[in-house]
Structure formats: structure tokens, C-alpha cells
Amino acid sequence: MTTGKAEKEKEYWTTGFISSCMETKVLMGTIMVMGFLLVAGQFMPFGRQVVPSCKNLVRAYLQEDSNPRAYSVQIRATEVNEIKKTSIIQNVSTATNSTSKGTEVPVKEDPNKRLFRPYGNAAYLFIQMGAYRGGPATFAVVGLASKPLHVFGKPRFECEWIPKNSSAARMKGKAYKMLPDWGYGRVYTVVVVNCTFSQSVGTDGDGGELILHALHGNEFGKPERIVALKEEQGTYNGSVYSQSPPYDYLYCGSSLYGDLNPQRMREWMAYHAKFFGPRSHFVFHDAGGVHPQVREVLEPWIRAGRVTLQDITEQEQFDGYYHNQFLIVNDCLHKHKFMANWTFFFDVDEYLYIPRGNTLQTILNDLSSYTQFTIEQYSMSNKLCLQKNQLTDSTNGTYSREWGFEKLLFRDVKRGIRRDRKYAVQARNVYATGVHMSENVIGRTQHKTEGKIRYYHYHGTISSRGEPCREFVKPSMRNNVTWLAGSPYVYDGTMNALAPTIKQFEKEMIGSQLQSTQQ
């Protein structure tokens, strides 16, 4: 019994010892593993996803429906509520996205719902050509705009002056819109916007910007903010608006286009350089018509300071009336508004004439109380010439040496038809202008100028190359009425008598460098 008891006790202690050792090994192993994890945790690349461990644990708690205390962290009830709200929103968003993207539900299109898909470019809201001061508190902005928009819509403009000095206040001005092309516009119509402010702006010389806001007038179009004019510091010169202008007369020409006749251009330039005198200036606008031969004719006058030639070929991409001539004359009006006492508008196949006994200056002195006067037209044949004694056709070398207004001597006297008039204005009193007259002036207009001034119109000769004389009248018949193409013509040698004087004037002014000009 003793031996058996002893063996049982030995087995008990042996088993207990082994069990105790095993528990100790397990404990030590557990401690070592936990220590290793703690040390390794110090080197883990915790990012933004791991740092807010508290929020991660709460999200796990919300997802697993567990107790956060099981994660051995202290979590505030407010944080739990905040994350609950975020989780709900995210879940709704995820569900929505999965419906719209992951499992798209096909939407049946309404066959009666028609779609409109625009392609290309429509007409522009506004195309600016120039912007100019009209005084201390007024400006003019000249450009093109979509004609259908202005005919059928209600687009409008707003004006604003932003001084360069940031401490000065911005100012809003009134915008007055004018459409001066009498409805002749095509895709584009001409728009002149007058911006007038309640007081002077920019007169301190600090500079500033004139802002033009262009609006479609409906809820669809996007408003455009246009920096119409920038005035640099020190550039304002108020004396321009009160002092005498540098010229007495300024010529504003329309768009020059097509295959122009250089000889006819030479004749026109020499004639009017003498007609207007030395205190005059000519502004031409090249819309593609000033080819090298025409440029050669104008170059001596450009060098002499009598002519300015502007390249306006870019306007050809905008479809307006006659190469946008309404746009061009309005820009010329405002650009050179304070350069002359009188500004003239007529074409390069038209010649002004003052009857004997008067001068241009005396006529304009009589008309000085008017802002505008119009000029009567004498329409001349562009083919009917007086027959020479030697030959009866244009092969005669004598004809080719004569100038156009020297040999085209028959005037159309048909009655009962309206003939276009041309005009001149005192530009300071004009807001916008046209081709045959202005309807936007301050002051009176005089139309009764017959016997004082007129112009001879040689229609089509400027765009016709070669000899113009194609029909002839015998010298013995020149005092009779000659009928041609249903129109009666009478002999008028007024311009012929001036030719020698004009030729001599040209030679004195620029020499003989244009003697070889071809028709």
C-alpha cells in the first residue's frame, strides 16, 4: 500500500510539474509574440487610413454590431453619432451609384421628346473694331454683332470704368446702342455703343479701363465682359477736345476691294489732294483692293504725310454689307473725330467740285452752323467719249494718255429718279454715321446745297481695268442729246478743263514717278 501510495504521489507531482512547465512555456511564448508585435507595430507605415483608429474601431463596431469596449478604447457618444450619420450618407450614395453605374436601369426615351444638337459656330455676340474717347466722360465702341440677334432679340450693353488706381471707385455709365447701317447688314450688322458717365473718368491721368458688358437679353446666352479700351498712366490729354484740330479737312474712305484700276486711283488722289489743299488728310481702308500697283500709286502720298492706309482685310471673315463699309466709316469717324473741322465721306470714283466764284472754305463758312450737309450727284457715263478726228475707237493712243475725268464727258440727265448723295460732317457732333448721310447727329442738316457743291460720279470706272472709252460721239453732235441704253446724255466739259492743272500739281508734289502707271 505504501509503495502504491508513493507511486501515486510521484505520478501526481510529475504530472503537475509537467503541466506547470507547459503553462509557463505557453505564457512565455505568448509574451514573446505580443512583444514582437508591439515592436513591429512601431515600424508599420500607418497612414491617414490607420491614424484615426478610434473612428475605424467605431465603424467596425457599427458594421459588426459589436461592443466598442471589446477593442479596449474609450469612445465618446458624440463621435459615434457623427460617424453613424456619415455611414448612412455613404451607404445611400453607394447604393445610388451602384444603381446608376453598376446595375444601370435602362430609361426608355420619350419618342416625342425631340433633341437639338448644335454644331459649328453661330454669329458672334459682338466683334469689336475700335473704342475711342469722345471727351472726358464719353466713349464710343464700334463693332459688329449678329444681325438676327439684334433684329429679333433684345441684346443690351452696359458700360463700366475701372480706374487703375485701386483706391478710386468704379463707375457705371449709360450705354446707348445705335445700328447705323439702315438694315443693310447681312449676317452681321454694325453696332456703335456710346458710353456716357455722369462725371469725368480717367481725367486724373492715372489710367484705367473701359469695360463693355455685352448681354444676349435672354436666359440662354452667357454675358461677355469686354475690355474695350485701356488707358495707360499719363496718356490722357484733355486739350484734344478743346483745341483747334491739326487739319481743316479729313477724308474717310470706305472699304477698297476688288481689282482696282491704279490709273484711276492715281487721278483721284492727285485731284483731291489739290481740291482739299495742304491742311487735309486722307484715310484709306484696304479690304483686299490695294494690290501692288495701287500701293505704288499711294506710296508717294503716304511718304508725304498726306495719306494713312489701314489694313482691314481681317474683316472679310465677318459677312457684312459691302465689305463692312458701314463699320469702316464709323470707326474712321470716331478714330479721327478730333483731327479736322470737317470730315468727308464719298467714294474713289466720285469727284467733288466747287463752281467758279467760290472756294471750299467760303462754302463751309456758309454752312458752319450745320453739323451735316449733303452733296448733289452728277452721274457721268463710264463709256461714252467724244470722238477724235483721227480714229473712232479706243485704239487711238491719244485716249489712253488722257485721264478718266478728262475724257468721260457725258452726263446722264434722266429726270424723275433719285440719285444718291454724299456728305460731310463736323465730326465732334456726330454719334454714328452711314454711307450716304448720318442720322445720329447733334444739330441741323442742310440738303439744299445745289449750286454750291456737287460731285461727279464715274460709276464702275475704279473697278474696271483698261480703256474706258467704248462708245463715241462725233464732235459735231456734242451739243445734242445722246441716247445710250435708254438714258439721255449731254456733254459736260467741266472736269476736262481742270485736267492740265491737276497734272501739273501732281508733278510739283511728287514728281514724275507715276507717269508709267497702267490703267
Side-chain angles (χ1 to χ4, degrees), residues 201-259:
V201 293
T203 55
D204 55 4
D206 287 342
E209 293 181 345
L210 174 68
I211 306 299
L212 184 69
H213 300 277
L215 301 96
H216 288 79
N218 56 45
E219 69 274 21
F220 302 110
K222 173 189 174 185
E224 296 291 342
R225 180 183 184 273
I226 304 166
V227 181
L229 179 68
K230 286 185 178 182
E231 275 190 352
E232 299 299 329
Q233 187 173 10
T235 58
Y236 175 78
N237 181 12
S239 64
V240 170
Y241 314 115
S242 57
Q243 66 184 9
S244 298
Y247 300 108
D248 291 331
Y249 317 114
L250 181 83
Y251 170 76
C252 275
S254 295
S255 308
L256 296 177
Y257 59 91
D259 186 15

Side-chain angles (χ1 to χ4, degrees), residues 351-400:
Y351 288 70
L352 299 185
Y353 176 77
I354 302 290
R356 289 184 179 182
N358 281 311
T359 66
L360 180 59
Q361 190 57 56
T362 58
I363 295 299
L364 295 181
N365 287 342
D366 293 341
L367 296 170
S368 60
S369 62
Y370 296 92
T371 295
Q372 174 179 228
F373 67 89
T374 60
I375 307 170
E376 179 188 19
Q377 177 188 164
Y378 274 22
S379 179
M380 304 297 289
S381 171
N382 58 12
K383 65 175 68 174
L384 195 58
C385 296
L386 193 64
Q387 178 181 312
K388 300 294 182 181
N389 291 328
Q390 298 86 354
L391 298 173
T392 61
D393 57 43
S394 60
T395 61
N396 188 346
T398 305
Y399 281 107
S400 63

Side-chain angles (χ1 to χ4, degrees), residues 142-148 150-151 177-192 318-331 423 431-440:
V142 183
L144 296 170
S146 166
K147 181 177 179 179
H150 281 269
V151 171
K177 180 186 71 174
M178 290 161 279
L179 306 178
D181 65 4
W182 302 353
Y184 283 112
R186 292 162 60 89
V187 175
Y188 288 100
T189 189
V190 178
V191 179
V192 177
F318 308 114
D319 185 13
Y321 179 77
Y322 265 98
H323 304 266
N324 290 303
Q325 62 175 332
F326 280 93
L327 170 70
I328 302 310
V329 295
N330 273 280
D331 183 82
Y423 69 105
Y431 289 116
T433 197
V435 173
H436 298 291
M437 65 172 291
S438 171
E439 293 183 335
N440 303 98

Side-chain angles (χ1 to χ4, degrees), residues 388-438:
K388 300 294 182 181
N389 291 328
Q390 298 86 354
L391 298 173
T392 61
D393 57 43
S394 60
T395 61
N396 188 346
T398 305
Y399 281 107
S400 63
R401 289 197 299 268
E402 290 182 342
W403 286 15
F405 64 83
E406 187 179 5
K407 56 191 173 186
L408 294 169
L409 305 175
F410 290 86
R411 176 164 53 91
D412 187 343
V413 291
K414 181 182 287 187
R415 298 177 181 273
I417 61 172
R418 178 187 175 276
R419 302 189 189 277
D420 290 333
R421 300 174 75 95
K422 294 303 168 70
Y423 69 105
V425 297
Q426 298 192 59
R428 294 169 183 245
N429 298 324
V430 181
Y431 289 116
T433 197
V435 173
H436 298 291
M437 65 172 291
S438 171

Side-chain angles (χ1 to χ4, degrees), residues 197-343:
F197 296 87
S198 59
Q199 64 186 62
S200 299
V201 293
T203 55
D204 55 4
D206 287 342
E209 293 181 345
L210 174 68
I211 306 299
L212 184 69
H213 300 277
L215 301 96
H216 288 79
N218 56 45
E219 69 274 21
F220 302 110
K222 173 189 174 185
E224 296 291 342
R225 180 183 184 273
I226 304 166
V227 181
L229 179 68
K230 286 185 178 182
E231 275 190 352
E232 299 299 329
Q233 187 173 10
T235 58
Y236 175 78
N237 181 12
S239 64
V240 170
Y241 314 115
S242 57
Q243 66 184 9
S244 298
Y247 300 108
D248 291 331
Y249 317 114
L250 181 83
Y251 170 76
C252 275
S254 295
S255 308
L256 296 177
Y257 59 91
D259 186 15
L260 299 184
N261 187 315
Q263 175 60 24
R264 300 289 90 83
M265 195 72 196
R266 171 198 175 190
E267 298 163 2
W268 187 97
M269 187 63 231
Y271 179 92
H272 288 96
K274 186 178 188 309
F275 179 87
F276 285 118
R279 282 181 53 83
S280 62
H281 194 77
F282 299 82
V283 182
F284 294 106
H285 299 91
D286 177 18
V290 183
H291 52 76
Q293 289 177 299
V294 174
R295 176 81 191 206
E296 184 179 349
V297 166
L298 294 177
E299 194 61 41
W301 300 102
I302 294 174
R303 291 195 300 266
R306 299 296 302 275
V307 167
T308 294
L309 178 61
Q310 303 234 307
D311 183 350
I312 60 163
T313 52
E314 189 175 342
Q315 56 76 35
E316 291 294 315
Q317 62 184 301
F318 308 114
D319 185 13
Y321 179 77
Y322 265 98
H323 304 266
N324 290 303
Q325 62 175 332
F326 280 93
L327 170 70
I328 302 310
V329 295
N330 273 280
D331 183 82
C332 188
L333 168 77
H334 288 287
K335 184 178 179 65
H336 306 286
K337 193 169 192 174
F338 301 96
M339 287 187 65
N341 293 319
W342 288 92
T343 301

Side-chain angles (χ1 to χ4, degrees), residues 78 149 163 170 206 235 410 457 509:
T78 56
L149 182 62
R170 297 185 175 191
D206 287 342
T235 58
F410 290 86
H457 186 196
M509 293 298 297

